[in-house]
């Protein structure tokens, strides 16, 4: 069975609000239903441990205790995880679990659990399995009948949502958009009528193209939050209209550096689609009947889209049409 690890805080208990069972001090903000901080790290169990997304201090007490107690740490890139472990004085036995060996690694982890070992699964940053390896390992371990315990912590999407200022109660996590332009635009066209907030991950070399495509697909009137380098020295959260976003990115090379999360307002709030029809469809329909200039002018009126972005898109669609005929 498990070997208990006491995560209780070391500070002496203050006189007020001391839970006599756990010895835990609260300032009255802690929900009565929360468990105390004493945890047990079990054998033959896989712990899925969230790690920092930039700031090495962003790691929970529970995560540190699990990493300390684990017999094996299954890591996306062992070099990245070693830095984190060194920072917290943890010596761990590491095995690699990355995109290209995940199936094999899943078997290895299951074997370790069969030997009664405690395994902690981490990715390079944030929560494993979210735009990161981990899902195959968890699925295999569950199928084999072993316990899987999540140790929550940082996640880039949740981090930006918490500070983005949107009041919407629903969001759709879209992860990375496809790198092929045609596939990306097809997916965005599907998402144009989506009313939940949309959350995208993006790489620095593609962020400008991505924002241009978002604007073409959704219109310029929606609000976007561009979050870069969350929790790091150059953390920036910029909020603007979608049709102002490209200009902001292009105004300063630094605005396009680092890691990005984009949060875009959903369709109904912005009323930017025409009866649920996406802007790409509006543009295509108008182009089938009208010259480019007129089609773009009408598309701008109907969708409140950005004229330049729609014009560029119209020219692409026209030349594509010519090539196909
Ligand atoms: N598993 C991670 C999570 O829970 O958020 C995501 C890993 S995914 C491979 C990496 C992407 O997440 C980056 O390209 C970026 O889009 C986003 N990301 C991760 N850390 C970030 C940060 N500090 N600031 C902004 N975006 C970040």
């Amino acid at each position: 069975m498990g070997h208990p690890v006491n995560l209780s805080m070391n500070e002496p208990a203050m006189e007020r609000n001391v839970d006599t069972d756990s010895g835990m001090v609260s300032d009255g903000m802690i929900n009565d239903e929360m468990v105390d901080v004493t945890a047990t790290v079990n054998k033959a169990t896989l712990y899925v441990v969230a790690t920092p997304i930039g700031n090495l201090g962003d790691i929970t007490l529970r995560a540190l205790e699990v990493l300390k107690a684990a017999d094996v740490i299954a890591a996306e890139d062992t070099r990245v995880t070693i830095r984190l472990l060194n920072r917290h004085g943890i010596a761990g036995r590491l095995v690699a679990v990355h995109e290209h060996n995940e199936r094999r690694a899943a078997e290895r982890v299951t074997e370790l659990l069969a030997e009664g070992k405690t395994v902690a699964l981490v990715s390079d940053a944030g929560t494993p399995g979210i735009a990161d390896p981990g899902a195959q390992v968890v699925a295999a371990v569950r199928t084999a009948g072993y316990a899987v315990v999540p140790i929550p912590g940082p996640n880039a999407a949740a981090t930006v949502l918490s500070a983005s200022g949107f009041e919407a109660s629903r969001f759709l996590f879209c992860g990375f958009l496809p790198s092929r332009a045609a596939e990306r635009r097809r997916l965005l066209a599907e998402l144009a009528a989506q009313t939940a907030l949309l959350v995208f991950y993006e790489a620095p070399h593609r962020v400008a193209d991505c924002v241009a495509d978002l604007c073409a697909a959704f219109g310029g009137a929606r609000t976007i939050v561009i979050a870069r380098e969350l929790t790091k020295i150059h953390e920036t959260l910029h909020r603007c209209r979608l049709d102002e976003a490209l200009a902001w990115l292009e105004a300063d090379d630094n605005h396009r550096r680092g890691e990005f999360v984009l949060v875009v307002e959903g369709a109904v709030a912005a009323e930017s689609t025409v009866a649920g029809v996406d802007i790409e469809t509006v543009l295509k329909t108008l182009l089938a009947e009208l010259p480019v200039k007129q089609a773009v002018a009408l598309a701008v009126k109907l969708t409140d889209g950005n004229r330049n972005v729609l014009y560029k898109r119209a020219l692409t669609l026209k030349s594509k049409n010519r090539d196909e005929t």
Side-chain angles (χ1 to χ4, degrees):
M1 276 306 289
H3 48 97
V5 174
N6 192 341
L7 304 190
S8 309
M9 296 166 183
N10 292 326
E11 282 78 28
M14 288 184 277
E15 277 184 18
R16 66 192 165 82
N17 298 333
V18 178
D19 178 323
T20 47
D21 290 335
S22 66
M24 186 181 169
V25 180
S26 100
D27 59 4
M29 298 292 285
I30 293 176
N31 182 333
D32 283 347
E33 289 181 3
M34 284 189 179
V35 293
D36 67 39
V37 286
T38 303
T40 300
V41 178
N42 290 319
K43 288 292 182 191
T45 299
L46 175 69
Y47 289 87
V48 185
V49 183
T51 58
I53 56 168
N55 188 324
L56 287 183
D58 289 335
I59 186 148
T60 68
L61 296 174
R62 250 183 112 203
L64 289 176
E65 287 305 331
V66 167
L67 291 174
K68 261 183 221 155
D71 298 305
V72 175
I73 299 171
E76 180 182 3
D77 182 338
T78 52
R79 293 162 304 180
V80 173
T81 301
I82 281 172
R83 278 207 295 278
L84 177 72
L85 297 180
N86 286 344
R87 162 76 161 70
H88 295 285
I90 298 171
R93 181 181 152 209
L94 289 149
V95 299
V97 179
H98 45 73
E99 224 186 319
H100 307 293
N101 79 343
E102 199 173 345
R103 190 186 298 268
R104 172 73 199 107
E107 285 167 18
R108 180 76 193 109
V109 167
T110 311
E111 283 162 14
L112 288 163
L113 296 173
E115 291 165 16
K117 300 274 196 291
T118 302
V119 181
L121 174 70
V122 298
S123 63
D124 287 354
T127 303
I130 300 191
D132 258 347
Q136 273 190 48
V137 173
V138 170
V141 167
R142 283 191 162 280
T143 305
Y146 295 101
V148 180
V149 177
I151 305 292
N155 163 250
T159 303
V160 62
L161 282 168
S162 72
S164 63
F166 289 111
E167 288 185 39
S169 55
R170 294 183 308 126
F171 70 89
L172 180 67
F173 177 66
C174 305
F176 290 100
L177 284 168
S179 53
R180 287 162 168 254
E183 263 178 72
R184 191 164 67 232
R185 288 181 187 137
R186 198 172 316 122
L187 178 66
L188 290 177
E190 274 172 34
L191 291 172
Q194 174 57 246
T195 55
L197 286 175
L198 300 168
V199 182
F200 302 95
Y201 282 175
E202 198 45 275
H205 63 281
R206 290 211 321 234
V207 69
D209 283 350
C210 173
V211 160
D213 284 347
L214 290 172
C215 191
F218 302 160
R222 295 196 199 182
T223 300
I224 181 170
V225 168
I226 302 174
R228 59 178 282 270
E229 296 292 85
L230 290 163
T231 77
K232 304 184 200 173
I233 293 169
H234 298 294
E235 178 180 80
T236 312
L237 276 96
H238 180 74
R239 203 181 144 104
C240 63
R241 277 173 56 108
L242 248 183
D243 58 8
E244 296 162 353
L246 191 55
W248 181 80
L249 286 170
E250 285 174 348
D252 183 336
D253 287 348
N254 287 325
H255 291 176
R256 298 186 303 281
R257 293 206 168 106
E259 297 190 277
F260 287 85
V261 185
L262 308 172
V263 183
V264 183
E265 190 177 21
V268 166
E271 289 173 16
S272 58
T273 52
V274 184
V277 180
D278 64 84
I279 291 174
E280 181 98 354
T281 308
V282 171
L283 192 58
K284 274 186 190 159
T285 311
L286 292 169
L287 279 172
E289 307 294 332
L290 298 167
V292 171
K293 217 172 147 192
Q294 258 180 292
V296 170
L298 266 179
V300 169
K301 276 194 187 149
L302 286 167
T303 65
D304 201 19
N306 178 285
R307 183 177 300 276
N308 290 336
V309 173
L310 284 172
Y311 192 73
K312 264 196 211 162
R313 187 72 196 125
L315 292 180
T316 312
L317 286 171
K318 263 287 193 229
S319 69
K320 210 173 127 205
N321 243 352
R322 258 199 311 273
D323 293 346
E324 281 167 5
T325 51

